[in-house]
Every structure is written in structure tokens, then in C-alpha cells.
Amino acid sequence: MRKLAVITAFGGINAAGRSSGHQAFRRLVLDKLSATQQLETLNALAQLMGLPQQSDITATWREQIINGSLIRGWDNIDWDATAVPFHQPFTDAEGTPCWRLSHKRLAVQSAGQTPKGFDPAALYPSRHHPRGLQMAVYGVSDALGQLGLDWEVIRQHLRPDQIAVYAGSAMGQQDANGHGGMLQSFLQGKRTSSKQCALGLSEMPADFINAYVLGNVGATGSMTGACATFLYNLKVALDDIHSGRRRLVIVGNSEAPLTPEIVEGFSAMTALVTEQKLRDLDGLSADATPDFRRASRPFGDNGGFTIAEAAQFIVLTDDALALELGLNIYGSVGDVFINADGYKKSISNPGIGNYLTMGKAMAEARRWLGELALKHGSFVHAHGSSTPANRTTESHIFSELAKAFRIPAWDITAVKAHVGHSISAASADQLMATLGSWAHGIIPGITTTREVAADVHQSNLNILLQHKEMDAEKTPLAFVNSKGFGGNNASAFFVSPHKTLEILQRKYSGQEWHDYHNKNADVQQRSQQWDKDTSAGLTKPTYRFGEAVLEPEDLELSDLRIHIKGWENPVEL
């Protein structure tokens, strides 16, 4: 029987809040939760936002938390979007070209920001780290906490080269502490720091995780594919686990693109929805304040995507390791498919590659779980970027493939409606929402879209504009789709925790299954305790600066293996 790559932990942060414990997912479907779950969710968000926690929900407190999360007008940035400095050209009285400092209001006045007041720099000794790296430290620490087993125990169970970290960002670190500050320093009359160049590199989230969180000496790297970057990294991790080269891989992305320069760059491409476009969509006067909460409207009448920040990570292991250690199983990765578009009219124009990736994913999922699961037990987390081009091209892909595979009414949703487009972490946001659906039996709807646009293809599709309750045990299959600039197309399918456990129970003996559940009981308890403690503000990100630094004399070398100080098992050569 095939080796499964199982999701044993997940964590991170986005506009909906903290990912572990499905807390961010709960924010998406807050009104569908019980009163107890709503209170728990709001208290978890209050902790992130630096607000008091409460034993009962009051209207003012709830409104403050609601208004400070998900997509909204600018409120969690350290710059003023209404008065961004820039050098304005002019010609003086003698006809000499000159520049003067001026300020302007950005055309884009909304984003998917982490909850208002959330500041990862305040949670550990951040030492002028770029925000993307601060968020990476927070996000991977969140995932490790949810593992329910101390990292040292896991580390000593494996050889050093059986571990990998594949993580990065698409844009790199472009704020003042990264490449943005490096490029601006001369113009601002400042000294370039010794950190800005190095810390701005796009693979630096993986480097930080290795050096300051895990002490990893195994494989590392980041495969970048614009908006499909998370799925690109997931494909590398999946291949590693299937081949047996790695037994545990941390996969994720951290993207912090909320800087004036990046916002202006995407806006210049007419890719982002502007304040005026929102007014035009809703027929508002020129001085009216748009409904920023509804800035992202996948598959509806829309005017561009909403940029966002996020850091999301999963811990992926082979199924044998999960059973050996009693790790939680939140689902499994079926496969990931990547295809380019071929010749293109423009680098940003969608092409044919996504038909190939989705078609391959659907066919392989059918081989795994059968016709019935594909036709009646699956749903799709679309890329759903909220651009006019995406709504027509992606809906056509889904509609035509649904017809080809004889799916009568395929459920389609898009989480960017709520959290925006976090570039490299976007498909990780989609996966987190998928895992939440299996845990809570709810598919979050595209509630910001009131009507499906007239040019959206709907044949054989059920585009969900409201939250939909589902039977998680009868919905074993989910697809995550991603379409990136440059023709970076990726599609993946995931198998539910219920179905994954069912498959594994057939694979292992009764005694092995019994032993797993005995071990897992303690792991589950510790994982749940992490969630409670974090919601109460009792945990901090893991950050080990300068600890247990290895030197050449810490190695024992032979022609067969290398023993590393601090590791029980050697690297086999």
C-alpha cells in the first residue's frame, strides 16, 4: 500500500487570526458556531489584538474584534496610507529639473491585515527582523505547538537528514529591515545596515526556521512560483516523503507585502481593487466610504484582488512516523500537479496550464478514492482572486472539467473573500480553511459576493455564496487550486482525516492501531492544551538565538556515517 504524507500539525497567522486549533477558520464562520465556540474564538482574537478577554460576549467588545479582523481598511501598518511620502518632480524658475518631498493618498485603501494590534516583533527578541521573518517565527512556532509532542523527542527519533524545511516568500522581505530599506537607504540619506541585504532574501523564512527554531541540519530551500508558491513547496515535500528521503517536512510560506511600494506596484498593473473601483461597483458618490469588508468578491462583479499578509505552516510526515509517535492526523496530501501555460500574450495573462493541473488532480483523486467521492464527496477551494479575468477563466476550467468528469453540481468556494490574497501563502490559506471544514462540517461561503457575475461559467458548478453545512465523513476529498503570474499553475487534492484514518487502519495491524491510539491520547491532550494556553497568552514563539551552535569539532566523521553532537542518530552516507 502506498506511503501517505499526513498532516500532523498546522499553524500560522492571517487576517482571520491564529491558524492552530482552527481558530482562524472559526472566525470565517463565526455566526455558524455555538455560543461557547464564538466566545472561545473571540477571546483567542482578543489575545492577539491586545484586548481584554471576557467571560461573556458584549456587543461593543464583539464589534471591536470583528471590525479589527479579516479584510478591512488600513489599521495595522506602521505607515500612513493617506499620506505616503514621495519625491515630486518639478522644474524651477531657471528650467532645472528638481524634486521635492510631497505626500499622496494611495488609491488602494484596504487589505487583508493580521488582526489589529497584532505585533509579532513584540513576542520575541526580533532584533530588527523584517516583518515576514517575524511572522515566520510566529507561524512555525504555532504549528510546532500544535504537534503535541516536544520537538526534541521528535528530533531524536529521526536521523538529521530525514528532516527538511521548505519555506519562503514570493516577494522577499521588502520592508525597511529588508531589501526595501537597503534600496532606499541612499535616497533617504541613511546607512545601509549589515542585515538588510541578507534578511531580504526570499528563502530566508526557511533559514530562520532552521537556525533559530529547529536547529535543523537536514534539507532546506524554497521553490518559488508566484501565487502558487506554497503548492510548489508542498510538491517538493511530497516527493521527498514518497521517496523515503525525508520522514518529516515543514512546509510553509510567510509573506508580508503590505508596504507602499508593493501596493503601488500591483496597483500600477491594475491588479488591485482601489477605493474608487469599490465606489463604482456599488454606485457610491465620490466622497462616500466604500464597504472595505467586501473589497474581495470572488466570482462576482469585482475590480481586482485585495493584497494580504500571512504566514502559514504545516508539519508533514510519513504515515509510519505518525503512528510511531502517536501524532495527530488532520488529513493527508494526495498529490500536487504543476504546469506552465506555454506561449503567452502577457506574463500576467491566464493560460491553459491550469486545465492540465486540475484535470490531473481530479483523475488521480478518482483513482485514489473512486468515482463517487469525486462526484458527490468533494469540494474546491478556488484561487478566486477577485479579478475580472480570474472569475471567467477559473470558472471555465471548473465548469468544463466538471462536465468532463460528470460532476453534477461541484461545490466551489474561495477564502480570499475573507482574508485577501497573501501571494506565496495564498494556497496555504486555502488549505487551512479546508482542514477547518473537515473539523467543523462547514464550507465557508463567498459571503462578500452577493450575486455571481453574468460572465462567470456556472454549468455543473455550485458557487457557494453562503456558508454550507456538510457531512465531513461523506466529504473525503478537497481540491486546492492556484493560478500565479507568469503561468505558475498548481492544483492539489487532499484527503480528509476521517478517510485518511480509514485507509491507515486497513494498512496496519490491529495491535499497531491500538498502540497508535494509546500514544495519540496524550498527544491530543497536549495539543489541545497548547491551543488553550495560546488563547490565554501563556505561550511565546520559539526563538533560540546562538544556542547549541555547532562547530566542525562537533562532528565524528567516517566513510559510512557522520555523527553530530546533540543528535542520537547519525547521518548515513
Side-chain angles (χ1 to χ4, degrees):
M1 186 177 288
R2 64 168 61 91
K3 183 181 295 184
L4 289 187
V6 296
I7 300 168
T8 55
F10 58 90
I13 186 78
N14 67 10
R18 172 171 57 89
S19 298
S20 67
H22 301 293
Q23 293 294 342
F25 175 82
R26 291 183 180 190
R27 172 63 186 90
L28 303 180
V29 296
L30 189 67
D31 292 340
K32 300 285 285 186
L33 303 178
S34 68
T36 299
Q37 288 176 328
Q38 287 191 37
L39 179 60
E40 291 173 351
T41 304
L42 291 171
N43 271 319
L45 279 163
Q47 191 280 321
L48 288 175
M49 299 168 72
L51 299 175
Q53 297 189 323
Q54 297 189 176
S55 56
D56 294 297
I57 298 174
T58 60
T60 302
W61 179 71
R62 186 183 193 276
E63 183 179 10
Q64 190 175 8
I65 294 170
I66 293 298
N67 291 342
S69 54
L70 302 186
I71 291 172
R72 58 199 189 275
W74 296 111
D75 67 6
N76 202 38
I77 52 176
D78 59 3
W79 48 276
D80 187 350
T82 65
V84 176
F86 78 106
H87 287 93
Q88 185 180 41
F90 72 98
T91 303
D92 67 14
E94 287 74 36
T96 305
C98 300
W99 302 86
R100 62 184 165 213
L101 183 63
S102 185
H103 295 81
K104 69 175 181 178
R105 179 185 181 91
L106 288 188
V108 174
Q109 287 293 316
S110 54
Q113 303 154 89
T114 52
K116 184 179 181 180
F118 174 73
D119 181 13
L123 302 177
Y124 76 101
S126 56
R127 295 185 177 89
H128 307 292
H129 297 161
R131 184 173 175 84
L133 302 186
Q134 297 168 12
M135 290 168 57
V137 170
Y138 179 90
V140 78
S141 298
D142 189 39
L144 291 173
Q146 197 192 52
L147 259 176
L149 197 60
D150 188 82
W151 174 249
E152 188 63 23
V153 173
I154 297 173
R155 195 170 75 100
Q156 298 303 345
H157 191 82
L158 299 170
R159 298 197 311 269
D161 55 343
Q162 290 179 319
I163 299 170
V165 174
Y166 298 126
S169 57
M171 305 296 298
Q173 329 313 319
Q174 299 295 337
D175 60 20
N177 290 318
H179 283 172
M182 179 184 70
L183 296 175
Q184 294 172 1
S185 58
F186 282 2
L187 293 175
Q188 295 180 341
K190 296 180 180 179
R191 182 182 64 85
T192 302
S193 83
S194 61
K195 296 179 180 179
Q196 287 168 327
C197 183
L199 298 189
L201 297 172
S202 65
E203 85 285 353
M204 195 54 59
D207 299 341
F208 254 55
I209 292 166
N210 293 329
Y212 302 130
V213 180
L214 301 179
N216 175 47
V217 297
T220 185
S222 175
M223 187 176 181
T224 303
C227 311
T229 294
F230 174 78
L231 291 184
Y232 277 39
N233 283 324
L234 183 61
K235 175 61 174 174
V236 177
L238 187 65
D239 290 346
D240 269 8
I241 286 177
H242 284 167
S243 71
R245 289 190 297 270
R246 320 286 170 226
R247 300 198 65 194
L248 182 150
V249 186
I250 292 177
V251 187
N253 291 102
S254 182
E255 198 79 77
L258 303 187
T259 69
E261 298 81 6
I262 292 177
V263 173
E264 278 288 87
F266 279 113
S267 186
M269 298 166 59
T270 66
L272 298 184
V273 65
T274 64
E275 189 176 26
Q276 187 56 48
K277 283 182 181 177
L278 287 174
R279 290 193 187 101
D280 294 342
L281 286 170
D282 291 338
L284 302 178
S285 63
D287 58 350
T289 300
D291 185 357
F292 291 129
R293 176 71 79 202
R294 296 184 56 243
S296 179
R297 306 174 187 184
F299 302 113
D301 289 316
N302 49 41
F305 75 81
T306 300
I307 197 165
E309 60 182 353
Q312 303 284 18
F313 295 88
I314 64 171
V315 180
L316 205 62
T317 74
D318 64 49
D319 58 82
L321 180 62
L323 264 70
E324 289 166 16
L325 297 176
L327 300 177
N328 295 321
I329 294 175
Y330 298 98
S332 55
V333 184
D335 212 337
V336 183
F337 299 93
I338 298 168
N339 286 90
D341 281 337
Y343 293 118
K344 297 173 71 68
K345 295 177 182 177
S346 72
I347 204 68
S348 61
N349 196 58
I352 64 164
N354 201 204
Y355 290 87
L356 305 181
T357 62
M358 275 302 298
K360 287 181 178 181
M362 294 166 71
E364 184 64 11
R366 183 174 60 183
R367 284 188 283 269
W368 272 52
L369 300 184
E371 193 89 21
L372 188 63
L374 177 62
K375 284 185 176 180
H376 303 289
S378 71
F379 64 99
V380 181
H381 257 287
H383 183 65
S385 63
S386 187
T387 64
N390 173 265
R391 75 187 185 215
T392 56
T393 58
E394 191 174 22
S395 64
H396 187 262
I397 292 165
F398 296 152
S399 179
E400 292 304 302
L401 286 171
K403 294 174 190 174
F405 282 84
R406 297 172 297 282
I407 300 173
W410 211 9
D411 286 338
I412 309 292
T413 192
V415 75
K416 289 183 182 67
H418 308 286
V419 299
H421 190 345
S422 56
I423 318 298
S424 68
S427 42
D429 285 335
Q430 294 163 254
L431 174 57
M432 297 300 177
T434 300
L435 300 179
S437 290
W438 282 322
H440 287 277
I442 305 168
I443 302 175
I446 309 171
T447 57
T448 58
T449 297
R450 291 174 180 162
E451 292 181 350
V452 176
D455 56 0
V456 169
H457 301 269
Q458 296 191 64
S459 297
N460 296 66
L461 303 182
N462 181 25
I463 297 176
L464 302 176
L465 301 188
Q466 298 297 324
H467 303 322
K468 179 183 178 181
E469 294 185 6
M470 70 173 194
D471 186 336
E473 292 189 7
K474 294 180 180 178
T475 313
L477 184 58
F479 296 87
V480 168
N481 191 48
S482 187
K483 295 165 70 66
F485 285 165
N488 291 283
N489 305 284
S491 304
F493 74 90
F494 298 88
V495 180
S496 72
H498 177 81
K499 191 65 176 180
T500 299
L501 290 169
E502 182 183 299
I503 293 169
L504 293 180
Q505 189 170 7
R506 293 197 300 266
K507 181 176 180 179
Y508 291 92
S509 70
Q511 185 60 51
E512 288 171 319
W513 199 241
H514 177 75
D515 291 345
Y516 164 68
H517 280 286
N518 283 342
K519 296 174 186 175
N520 181 244
D522 289 338
V523 170
Q524 276 198 43
Q525 191 277 327
R526 286 193 291 267
S527 180
Q528 291 165 3
Q529 191 62 48
W530 163 267
D531 182 39
K532 292 177 182 177
D533 289 348
T534 304
S535 292
L538 301 177
T539 64
K540 294 291 184 185
T542 300
Y543 183 72
R544 299 187 174 104
F545 178 78
E547 295 182 22
V549 176
L550 295 169
E551 303 292 347
E553 53 268 26
D554 295 321
L555 305 178
E556 295 179 18
L557 305 177
S558 76
D559 62 342
L560 297 177
R561 59 190 59 87
I562 298 175
H563 283 271
I564 304 172
K565 181 181 178 181
W567 291 81
E568 185 173 323
N569 299 306
V571 173
E572 300 292 341
L573 302 180

